[in-house]
Amino acid sequence: MDKTFFIPNEESTLKLGESLARVCRENAVIYLYGDLGAGKTTFVRGFLKGLGFAGHVKSPTYTLVESYLFENFSVCHFDFYRIQHPDELQFIGIQDYFSENNIALIEWPEKGEGWLPKADLSCYIVPKNEGREFLFKSFSERGEILCKNFSEN
């Protein structure tokens, strides 16, 4: 299943992330594709806000991963932009981040090929006119449910 949204600004990107978070309350792997500055981290900020996180959300460009703990699960935000070779991920214990009680949001997933689990949902962010087009594609039953159940509002 595919779902596309035209998002005109940063505030709308945050709201779209919040909307997905409202239907994503259990483990999922979500890949985020887009050029530098496309809005991937902004989308993650909105996602975390939608789960009730009120703290500062920073890009894990240098740390590779930022984890956020909630009552019954955690969210791991990965950014593999600086990864030169996928084998580097073994040094951060990448396998330990994927469990039943974890939502993984992964920026630049193509740089982790071979080490990452299959995506439930992928988000492709492409500049369009004065905003961005967000295209979501599902790759599992879980991804189908997420894609079907969330909207812009």
Side-chain angles (χ1 to χ4, degrees):
M1 170 180 248
D2 295 356
K3 193 173 261 191
T4 304
F5 301 96
F6 176 75
I7 303 300
N9 54 40
E10 183 175 339
E11 183 178 327
S12 296
T13 300
L14 291 166
K15 287 182 181 187
L16 186 64
E18 287 179 51
S19 177
L20 181 58
R22 284 193 293 273
V23 298
C24 187
R25 297 295 179 148
E26 58 187 58
N27 65 311
V29 176
I30 302 169
Y31 288 179
L32 301 167
Y33 295 95
D35 293 336
L36 283 172
K40 297 178 298 293
T41 298
T42 301
F43 179 83
V44 172
R45 282 187 188 109
F47 187 94
L48 289 165
K49 182 179 178 188
L51 294 173
F53 184 76
H56 177 69
V57 176
K58 63 181 182 171
S59 175
T61 300
Y62 294 99
T63 58
L64 299 183
V65 63
E66 291 289 335
S67 296
Y68 302 88
L69 302 177
F70 295 88
E71 189 173 326
N72 297 316
F73 63 94
S74 62
V75 174
C76 293
H77 175 202
F78 297 92
D79 184 335
F80 297 147
Y81 178 73
R82 298 203 176 280
I83 294 290
Q84 297 299 312
H85 192 279
D87 288 348
E88 292 176 46
L89 297 179
Q90 71 180 330
F91 300 116
I92 66 165
I94 193 72
Q95 304 87 337
D96 298 336
Y97 288 99
F98 301 101
S99 69
E100 287 181 20
N101 299 320
N102 186 34
I103 298 169
L105 301 164
I106 306 170
E107 297 185 36
W108 304 96
E110 64 276 16
K111 294 190 172 219
E113 193 172 318
W115 287 97
L116 301 176
K118 180 180 164 186
D120 293 300
L121 190 67
S122 286
C123 173
Y124 302 87
I125 307 169
V126 180
K128 190 167 190 176
N129 300 324
E130 296 298 315
R132 308 255 189 301
E133 181 178 85
F134 281 69
L135 170 62
F136 292 88
K137 291 183 174 247
S138 59
F139 293 97
S140 70
E141 185 177 331
R142 177 79 181 118
E144 290 274 333
I145 293 167
L146 290 173
C147 205
K148 177 182 169 190
N149 291 328
F150 94 100
S151 64
E152 265 182 277
N153 303 317

